[in-house]
Amino acid sequence: MSQEKKNKTLLATLGGLLILAVVLFFYPSDRQEIDKTLFKVSDLSLVDRVILSSAGSEVALSFSGSKWLVNKNQEADEQLITVLFATLQQAEPKRQVASSLRDAVSSMVMKNGVKLDLFQGDVLVRSFYAGGNAAKTEAYFLDEELGPYIMTIPGYRVYISGIFEVEANGWRDRRVFNFNWRNFKKLETEFNRQPSQNFTIADQGSGFDLVNSPPSDTTRLNDYLDAVSLLMAKEYLTPGRVPVYDSLIQTPPIATISVYDLGDNALVLDLYPPIDGDPDALGRLNGTDPVLFSREQVIPILKTRGYFKK
């Protein structure tokens, strides 16, 4: 056989091996058709409780009939609840984790991931684990009987398991007061060092205004009430995480704002002096929960009685 023919035969053989390698890479021996509904609930609208359990913590999201609550006592962020259910609706298995990695991935997800229990009333309708790799670039769902699957939302590059890893405080509604003209009764503001500037806003018969005071500048009054009603928390803090805030919250607040609804239920916010160089300001809700605000959000609600004069 001539050298030219030997070379052609060798090239043909190499080409065949290359094609075979590509086929084996993209079509592994354990490849199988995947049920896209594997981790879905037939009717998510009936799910009224979600338990998210991870190492050392548990978050319970429950529907009260009118709103979602976090751990039964705090209003949940409606946008996050929407993201949660959209993720459960759209997430699909891309493929099963390779057989050689299944045991390792299963152990990792069960140890470091989050267990989801979805309920309709008292009936558990679906349970699985969610987690991901260390870089948060690949998400896994784990069924204890079927093993782990790599998950995706078609058309999006997103770390799916991230929504399940949100801590309890992260689920809370960031609108602090969240009142409107239909449920608002009165607002009281007290200044620890300027008691003469304390004021109360309530219905004076012809509309809301300062109590025991001449008629206010209507624009300033409405702008102030809007700023209070729209106040957004930047972050709900866990005590002990930031020592300087733990120390500050032991000192007297500079102002206390109490908002009452029509049932005379009060939500009380203490505000503390900002720390030099800190872009944020510390508050405390109902005497217990430390909360962080941006200074830009706090400035419009720190108004004294004199501010409302015409």
Side-chain angles (χ1 to χ4, degrees):
M1 181 182 293
S2 68
Q3 187 61 43
E4 183 180 356
K5 288 184 177 180
K6 288 181 180 180
N7 291 341
K8 288 182 178 179
T9 301
L10 181 59
L11 287 173
T13 302
L14 289 173
L17 290 173
L18 180 60
I19 293 172
L20 178 61
V22 171
V23 170
L24 291 176
F25 179 81
F26 286 104
Y27 296 90
S29 58
D30 59 355
R31 185 180 177 88
Q32 56 183 329
E33 289 296 323
I34 301 298
D35 179 4
K36 300 297 185 181
T37 66
L38 187 60
F39 294 94
K40 294 184 178 180
V41 174
S42 57
D43 190 352
L44 274 174
S45 66
L46 298 178
V47 171
D48 55 11
R49 184 158 56 101
V50 179
I51 307 296
L52 305 167
S53 308
S54 57
S57 67
E58 179 178 287
V59 179
L61 305 173
S62 55
F63 188 62
S64 68
S66 60
K67 55 192 174 185
W68 281 87
L69 301 176
V70 184
N71 293 339
K72 297 182 179 181
N73 59 4
Q74 302 289 348
E75 289 190 31
D77 186 315
E78 293 182 1
Q79 292 185 343
L80 273 185
I81 294 294
T82 299
V83 172
L84 170 68
F85 279 90
T87 300
L88 292 171
Q89 179 66 42
Q90 299 176 38
E92 296 180 356
K94 184 176 181 181
R95 62 178 180 273
Q96 196 165 22
V97 172
S99 57
S100 59
L101 299 174
R102 284 175 196 166
D103 288 345
V105 171
S106 295
S107 297
M108 182 269 292
V109 172
M110 292 185 73
K111 179 181 179 181
N112 302 322
V114 178
K115 184 184 180 186
L116 280 83
D117 293 318
L118 308 179
F119 292 85
Q120 293 178 4
D122 294 327
V123 179
L124 178 66
V125 294
R126 193 70 177 90
S127 181
F128 61 89
Y129 289 83
N133 60 1
K136 307 296 185 185
T137 57
E138 193 166 67
Y140 311 115
F141 284 5
L142 169 66
D143 181 285
E144 292 190 77
E145 294 184 359
L146 302 177
Y149 288 77
I150 298 172
M151 302 298 294
T152 185
I153 292 179
Y156 294 89
R157 287 188 175 184
V158 60
Y159 176 60
I160 295 172
S161 296
I163 185 64
F164 310 124
E165 298 171 355
V166 175
E167 296 180 349
N169 278 338
W171 286 100
R172 291 178 60 177
D173 188 356
R174 283 177 164 73
R175 286 276 297 274
V176 175
F177 292 109
N178 200 15
F179 64 85
N180 55 54
W181 298 112
R182 295 187 301 275
N183 62 12
F184 171 64
K185 181 175 182 179
K186 68 177 179 178
L187 178 150
E188 296 176 345
T189 296
E190 298 178 347
F191 295 93
N192 185 54
R193 298 178 182 177
Q194 297 175 284
S196 64
Q197 293 298 319
N198 296 350
F199 62 87
T200 298
I201 297 175
D203 189 352
Q204 298 301 288
S206 58
F208 286 95
D209 206 339
L210 268 64
V211 176
N212 298 325
S213 178
S216 303
D217 183 305
T218 304
T219 299
R220 288 190 171 190
L221 181 74
N222 289 338
D223 288 346
Y224 172 79
L225 289 175
D226 284 344
V228 174
S229 70
L230 297 174
L231 180 65
M232 297 281 288
K234 184 175 181 179
E235 182 181 0
Y236 293 99
L237 299 175
T238 301
R241 202 186 78 182
V242 186
V244 67
Y245 291 147
D246 292 336
S247 298
L248 181 59
I249 211 167
Q250 300 304 316
T251 65
I254 57 173
T256 298
I257 300 174
S258 304
V259 173
Y260 294 79
D261 64 17
L262 295 178
D264 269 335
N265 302 300
L267 200 157
V268 181
L269 173 64
D270 296 318
L271 292 170
Y272 295 84
I275 299 171
D276 289 343
D278 190 343
D280 299 323
L282 179 68
R284 181 174 61 182
L285 280 173
N286 292 330
T288 56
D289 298 342
V291 57
L292 210 57
F293 303 95
S294 67
R295 286 198 191 192
E296 290 76 11
Q297 285 251 290
V298 170
I299 289 172
I301 68 171
L302 282 176
K303 303 301 184 185
T304 60
R305 169 183 285 272
Y307 168 78
F308 300 98
K309 289 182 179 180
K310 283 189 176 181

